[in-house]
Amino acid sequence: IWRIGDSAAAPKFHVVAKPNDWSKTVREAAGRQGGLTETEQQRMEYWSACAACFEATGSSLRQPATKPWGWHAWGIGKTGIQLCAKVSLRDDRCAIYLNLNGPHTQAHFQLLLDQRAEIESELGSTLEWDGSGREHRIVLSRAADLLDRDRWPEQHRWIHDTLLLFKRVFESRVRKLDPSAWDGTGDDR
């Protein structure tokens, strides 16, 4: 109970839950001409369910604010490098990838590529190493029918577990990346 000066006693409330950004994002999109597209609405629902999965596991990963995008990103300890999760309704795939961008993209990519055998061994998977664009990516993907809601929990667990695995394998490597250590060889473009 709270009392200010001579005022009447009032209850003291403790916030135990707060609204997420989902409704705010929907409102913002509704303000655009035409609101959310069907695909954006499906993405919002997918990522909201994914966030609930993360929360239910007590994960150290916090799902970013739900947006109607096909991807979400998490920092991994160095500017210009993020862990990302992507879903594609068009391709029926979901992917986890390390996204590299910025002034040292090529150097960072090549320094990690030099460790490819160790990285893939630790992950237990063969990765797609895409150094062809402005942003370079190191990708692990899988088939995923995103319209089959009964399969979402398994997909969300895969996203969660694979993000944690990528974090464990890449985080210390990313923090140690020094672009001046790259000798300029091995450019695969």
Side-chain angles (χ1 to χ4, degrees):
I1 295 193
W2 287 81
R3 183 179 301 234
I4 300 173
D6 293 331
S7 67
K12 179 181 178 182
F13 293 99
H14 295 283
V15 176
V16 294
K18 61 183 178 180
N20 63 23
D21 289 334
W22 188 83
S23 58
K24 176 182 170 190
T25 303
V26 171
R27 260 194 325 275
E28 288 172 356
R32 299 186 319 219
Q33 187 171 3
L36 289 175
T37 66
E38 183 178 340
T39 298
E40 289 172 329
Q41 182 64 38
Q42 289 169 331
R43 288 181 190 147
M44 288 291 291
E45 292 169 8
Y46 187 88
W47 289 122
S48 292
C50 190
C53 172
F54 279 35
E55 191 172 312
T57 65
S59 177
S60 60
L61 287 172
R62 296 290 169 235
Q63 179 77 8
T66 302
K67 300 287 184 186
W69 305 327
W71 56 272
H72 280 75
W74 293 258
I76 191 166
K78 188 173 286 291
T79 302
I81 303 177
Q82 306 86 25
L83 277 178
C84 298
K86 178 182 179 181
V87 295
S88 173
L89 290 160
R90 181 183 59 230
D91 300 329
D92 283 334
R93 300 210 58 81
C94 60
I96 302 301
Y97 60 95
L98 190 71
N99 190 65
L100 301 97
N101 59 49
H104 305 294
T105 299
Q106 188 63 27
H108 289 159
F109 183 79
Q110 290 299 326
L111 291 167
L112 289 168
L113 189 59
D114 289 345
Q115 303 173 59
R116 181 178 189 161
E118 297 87 18
I119 289 169
E120 290 182 346
S121 175
E122 287 179 45
L123 287 169
S125 297
T126 301
L127 302 173
E128 176 187 342
W129 296 75
D130 180 4
S132 62
R134 185 179 61 82
E135 294 183 352
H136 292 12
R137 295 184 174 146
I138 304 168
V139 183
L140 181 61
S141 68
R142 60 167 274 180
D145 181 354
L146 303 172
L147 297 178
D148 183 353
R149 290 174 182 262
D150 292 337
R151 306 209 55 194
W152 283 8
E154 185 272 327
Q155 293 167 13
H156 295 151
R157 281 189 302 277
W158 183 85
I159 289 170
H160 175 265
D161 294 348
T162 307
L163 279 167
L164 285 177
L165 182 59
F166 263 56
K167 183 177 181 186
R168 182 179 59 76
V169 170
F170 282 107
E171 189 170 39
S172 65
R173 286 180 168 91
V174 165
R175 289 178 190 261
K176 293 175 188 173
L177 287 175
D178 176 4
S180 68
W182 181 49
D183 63 9
T185 62
D187 188 340
D188 61 340
R189 288 196 275 173

